[in-house]
Amino acid sequence: MEEKYLVRISEKISCSFKQVTNVYTLHLEGCTIPFIARYRKEATGNLDEVKINDVIEQVTYFQDLIKRKETIIKTIEGLAKMSPELKRKIDDNYDAVELEDIYLPYKPKRKTRAVAAIEKGLQPLATIIMEQGSQEPEAEAGAFVNEEVKDTKEALQGARDIIAEWISENEQSRHAIRQLFSEQARLYSRVVTSKKEGEEAQKYRDYFEFNGLLKNCPSHRILAIRRGEKEGFLLMDINVDKQAGIEELEHIFVKSSNSNGAEVKKAIDDTFDRLLKPAIENEFRVLSKTGADDDAISVFAQNLRQLLLSAPLGSKKVLAL
């Protein structure tokens, strides 16, 4: 592993570079966490099992990231779209989510509405609209009517489909909506009406009509709602205010108040509902589940530690031989 990743790990978990390097080396040699913690204190600077595990988890994370980078670079080079700037951007990335955002415009796609529109030759029209110049979009769309595009209405719809995908794949727009979810996302749950009166459903009664700020929801509540959803008693949703999301995207992409700007606004409305919001919601479903699991494991570990450290027979004296 390159030194820059080890430096990143040391910064992230507040350990010295030497400690991280030594733990990494011992891990490569096949040493277990308990062995490193007990018998290699001089190499780790007395790191405990928790810190050593943190180092190894970060090492695993960056090893997976490196492999993913190699795959992405190979794919983009195969498309002949790699540039020195893009290569540097990928090399300098340390976050798996941001890496996928960089890769998204180059990722092999299934047959989407945008792909179908591009195949019909509507990409130049999408470019004209996106530039938001003085041309009238309907007049420009007339030039693209042919055997595959029956009228200007279909041409404009195809152009908006392409623009919607461009916006959805844009790093800045994904970051803006992700930030909105991070700050304002609300967790909703409601009962499946047909199962509301069932005896098994009653254990989820507190979540039949629930609405709360996601970042403030305790882990046990998130896990309970997800369990209710898995068992088929609850419906769960993570949502943000649509208007706030639309305004964020319009601030980035709408540069004119003319007819072309109006077409871009229509594409923004479409991409938020159909592409961006579902994608970011799925991310936060996974993140909230992972965070809740970590919290639950931490609480369990603390409780178990107290149990194991308590006197086995209370105040009675124990003689050990």
Side-chain angles (χ1 to χ4, degrees), residues 189-215:
S189 69
R190 65 183 188 276
V191 67
V192 176
T193 307
S194 61
K195 298 184 178 182
K196 184 176 182 179
E197 303 303 326
E199 184 179 343
E200 285 294 311
Q202 300 312 307
K203 59 187 175 182
Y204 300 111
R205 177 176 292 278
D206 290 345
Y207 308 111
F208 281 4
E209 288 292 336
F210 177 78
N211 170 9
L213 199 61
L214 178 62
K215 65 180 181 181

Side-chain angles (χ1 to χ4, degrees), residues 252-321:
I252 298 170
F253 295 102
V254 178
K255 308 299 181 185
S256 173
S257 59
N258 61 16
S259 300
N260 286 309
E263 293 294 323
V264 173
K265 285 184 178 182
K266 291 179 184 178
I268 287 172
D269 190 271
D270 174 46
T271 196
F272 183 84
D273 287 335
R274 183 169 58 89
L275 300 172
L276 261 178
K277 191 264 180 182
I280 304 302
E281 180 187 352
N282 284 338
E283 282 184 20
F284 275 78
R285 274 179 168 263
V286 173
L287 286 172
S288 63
K289 171 67 164 57
T290 302
D293 283 343
D294 289 343
D295 288 345
I297 291 169
S298 177
V299 170
F300 177 79
Q302 291 172 15
N303 293 340
L304 181 61
R305 178 179 177 83
Q306 293 302 317
L307 180 63
L308 293 175
L309 290 175
S310 63
L313 296 176
S315 61
K316 293 184 178 180
K317 294 181 180 179
V318 177
L319 177 64
L321 297 177

Side-chain angles (χ1 to χ4, degrees), residues 40-55:
R40 292 295 180 266
K41 293 180 182 293
E42 74 288 346
T44 67
N46 291 317
L47 291 180
D48 60 18
E49 287 92 341
V50 175
K51 275 292 187 182
I52 293 170
N53 183 64
D54 289 343
V55 173

Side-chain angles (χ1 to χ4, degrees), residues 108-125:
K109 297 179 177 66
R110 57 184 175 80
K111 188 67 175 282
T112 63
R113 283 163 48 174
V115 170
I118 290 171
E119 289 175 351
K120 293 178 181 179
L122 294 172
Q123 187 165 337
L125 176 60

Side-chain angles (χ1 to χ4, degrees), residues 14 31 72 100 147 196 203 225 281 302:
S14 301
C31 298
I72 288 172
E100 294 302 324
E147 293 180 358
K196 184 176 182 179
K203 59 187 175 182
I225 292 173
E281 180 187 352
Q302 291 172 15

